[in-house]
Structures are given as C-alpha cells and as structure tokens.
Amino acid sequence: MTYNFLYFLEAIPGDVAQGIIWGIMALGVFVTYRILNFADLTVDGSFATGGATAVVLIIHGVPAPVAVLAAFGVGLLAGLCTGLLHTLLGIPDILSGILMQIALYSVNLNIMGMANVAVSVNKFHLVLSSRYINMAILVSLCFAAAVMIVLYWYFGTEQGSAIRATGNNPAMSRAQGINIGAMKVIALAFSNGLVAMAGGLIAQYQGFADINMGRGSIVIGLAAVIIGEVLGNAFFRKGMNFMIRMLFVIIGSIIYYIVIGFVLWLRMPTDDLKLFTAIIVAVFLAIPYLKDKAGHSFRASARKGAGK
C-alpha cells in the first residue's frame, strides 16, 4: 500500500473549510459547556434540524441567506425547549438534552419528509459549496468572525455577564437577584441557534441534509473546545481573553478536521472514525490534568528537597 502525501495536502483546504463551519457549531457548545457549565446534548439533534430546515426552505425558493437565518431560529426554539424542560420541570441537564435530541429526530424527519434531501449548487444559489473551496473558506470565515464579534459584545452586556455569573456560581448569582433559570434558557436557546445555523451551512457545503448528520456533533464540538483550550494555554497561558478563547475554538475545530483528514489519508477504516474522535478528545482532555499533576509532583518534590 502506497501513500501519496500530495493527496493529503490537496485535501487540507476542504478540511479547513469544514473545520471553520464546525467551529461555529463548537462556539455554541462553548457557550453551554464552558460559560454556562451545562452538559447539553441537544446539539446532536439541533444541528440536523438546522440543516434540514435550510435545505427544505432553499428547495422551496427561499434565498439561502434567509434559510440560514431560519435555521438559527429553529435552533433557538430547540434550545428554548431544552431550557424549559430543565428549569420548569426540574429535569436534569443531561436528561433534558437527551429528551430534546430524541424528539428532534422525529421533527427532522417531518421537516424533510424523508431520511435525506439533496440541494445542488447547480440548481440553487447557495451560500457556500464544497465545489468552490476557496469561496467556502472565505464565506465561512466571515460567518465565524461575525459570530465571535456578536458573542464578544453580548457577553460583555449586563445580561451576558449574568449568564457568565450563573455558570460560574449559581448559588451566589441567585443571592444577587439573578434569575438563573431565565439565564439558562437564554443561553441554551442562543447556543442551539448557533449550532443549527452551522448545520444549515454544512448542509449547503456538502449538498444535502441527512437525518444522521448531527450524530456525534457534541463530541466534535467538545474536541474543538478542548483542543483550542490546550493550544491557547500553551501559547498564552493565563493571558487569554474571551475573544482569543473563541478564536482558538475555531482553530481547534480546524485542527480536528485536519487530523481526521490525516486519518482518512492513512486509509484507516471509516467505521472507526468515531473511535479516533473519542481518542483525540480523551488525549486533549487528559493533557491539562496530567500537566497539572506533574507540576504538583514537581513542586512537592522540590519542597521535600528543600526541607532536607
């Protein structure tokens, strides 16, 4: 079996384009996982909902940019339902996400009317397409930049600060008069809106929406967040501001897809991609812990040595 490294290099622009689009989805995961401290599994369903909504609307004559905004809207509704299940009915965060994920499977089937729907760049004016990689990279970068600017502004507002406080210390936030239930609902809605918007973009990029296109989205999002944090801490240590953290989430997503591209170039079984993804996430999750543990061991040894 021979390997032509040129094939891997030629595939990198496509990996970068996908990485940026999935990075937008990862920013949604970042909002719930890091800011709100909420384990939201809705994203596996809302990502496909965004893709299904965008494709069906485009086929029925709706302009692609409007379809992307509509995908954002249905994502808001999905996140809103998850938030209400958690805050009004007292269902734990993980279970509320799982319930919405299951419900959205049927919703997505009803939206599309079948398991998958194709949308061709030859028939419709799409926002981006895998046939035009350079343009896809440029457009996805514009979307990612706009999302980061909006998030940076929003989480600097009073309401955004209240959401950050809720995720950091719910008890203290409640004592300060913050309605933590409302903050959770708002953050979950906004997060899933971003996830669904990314789903609408990736559906156009790949030329179809599929009922299973969101499966494993939460793992990819976590991979992007964790990889970005590890790299960001390596470069900036404790000096990362909010914008830099978001930028490294996008970078983490790009690196993830380049790694996946490398695995495919090695002709590893495609059935094992989820296994490779889990291994990548586990490795990057373990790095900060092992590094911190090694630092504590070193300091403990130094103290023992100084005491002799």
Side-chain angles (χ1 to χ4, degrees):
M1 184 181 295
T2 59
Y3 297 94
N4 189 339
F5 192 68
L6 184 61
Y7 293 157
F8 169 67
L9 295 178
E10 290 175 346
I12 285 181
D15 296 332
V16 171
Q18 288 191 79
I20 297 170
I21 300 171
W22 281 88
I24 297 172
M25 186 278 299
L27 288 174
V29 174
F30 174 76
V31 169
T32 52
Y33 178 65
R34 280 302 186 215
I35 298 178
L36 190 62
N37 195 26
F38 189 102
D40 183 26
L41 299 182
T42 312
V43 296
D44 278 20
S46 59
F47 186 83
T49 305
T53 301
V55 168
V56 169
L57 288 177
I58 290 171
I59 290 175
H60 285 81
V62 176
V66 177
V68 173
L69 291 177
F72 179 82
V74 296
L76 285 177
L77 292 176
L80 177 66
C81 291
T82 301
L84 293 177
L85 286 175
H86 175 65
T87 57
L88 292 185
L89 302 182
I91 300 174
D93 50 5
I94 293 179
L95 291 180
S96 59
I98 291 174
L99 287 174
M100 273 309 301
Q101 180 189 130
I102 295 171
L104 287 173
Y105 188 89
S106 294
V107 171
N108 297 338
L109 280 175
N110 280 283
I111 291 174
M112 294 188 291
M114 59 188 74
N116 54 73
V117 178
V119 57
S120 174
V121 70
N122 295 327
K123 296 181 180 179
F124 306 96
H125 296 289
L126 304 182
V127 172
L128 73 177
S129 171
S130 60
R131 293 190 184 181
Y132 309 103
I133 294 296
N134 292 334
M135 183 58 67
I137 292 175
L138 179 61
V139 171
S140 56
L141 276 175
C142 291
F143 270 94
V147 168
M148 287 191 294
I149 290 171
V150 170
L151 287 176
Y152 186 78
W153 166 80
Y154 177 69
F155 282 104
T157 64
E158 182 177 350
Q159 189 178 84
S161 298
I163 292 174
R164 294 165 66 180
T166 299
N168 187 52
N169 193 327
M172 181 60 70
S173 299
R174 186 184 292 107
Q176 294 296 321
I178 296 174
N179 187 337
I180 63 172
M183 294 304 104
K184 287 181 179 181
V185 171
I186 292 171
L188 285 165
F190 193 57
S191 166
N192 281 280
L194 292 178
V195 171
M197 185 176 72
L201 291 173
I202 205 70
Q204 294 180 61
Y205 176 83
Q206 65 190 14
F208 66 90
D210 186 84
I211 191 65
N212 292 315
M213 65 181 288
R215 183 171 295 176
S217 295
I218 185 63
V219 178
I220 297 173
L222 288 175
V225 172
I226 299 303
I227 292 172
E229 286 182 346
V230 171
L231 293 177
N233 288 327
F235 283 101
F236 292 92
R237 297 190 181 275
K238 301 298 182 181
M240 284 198 300
N241 62 25
F242 190 65
M243 180 62 79
I244 293 176
R245 291 180 69 187
M246 290 191 293
L247 177 61
F248 269 96
V249 170
I250 301 293
I251 293 173
S253 180
I254 294 172
I255 291 175
Y256 168 81
Y257 265 91
I258 291 176
V259 171
I260 293 299
F262 182 73
V263 170
L264 292 174
W265 174 74
L266 291 176
R267 300 177 188 172
M268 297 290 187
T270 55
D271 291 342
D272 295 336
L273 273 180
K274 298 299 182 184
L275 173 62
F276 294 133
T277 298
I279 293 173
I280 292 169
V281 175
V283 168
F284 277 93
L285 278 171
I287 287 175
Y289 171 76
L290 295 176
K291 184 178 179 181
D292 184 63
K293 186 176 181 180
H296 284 302
S297 299
F298 178 79
R299 287 191 290 270
S301 299
R303 286 195 295 268
K304 289 180 180 179
K308 292 181 180 180

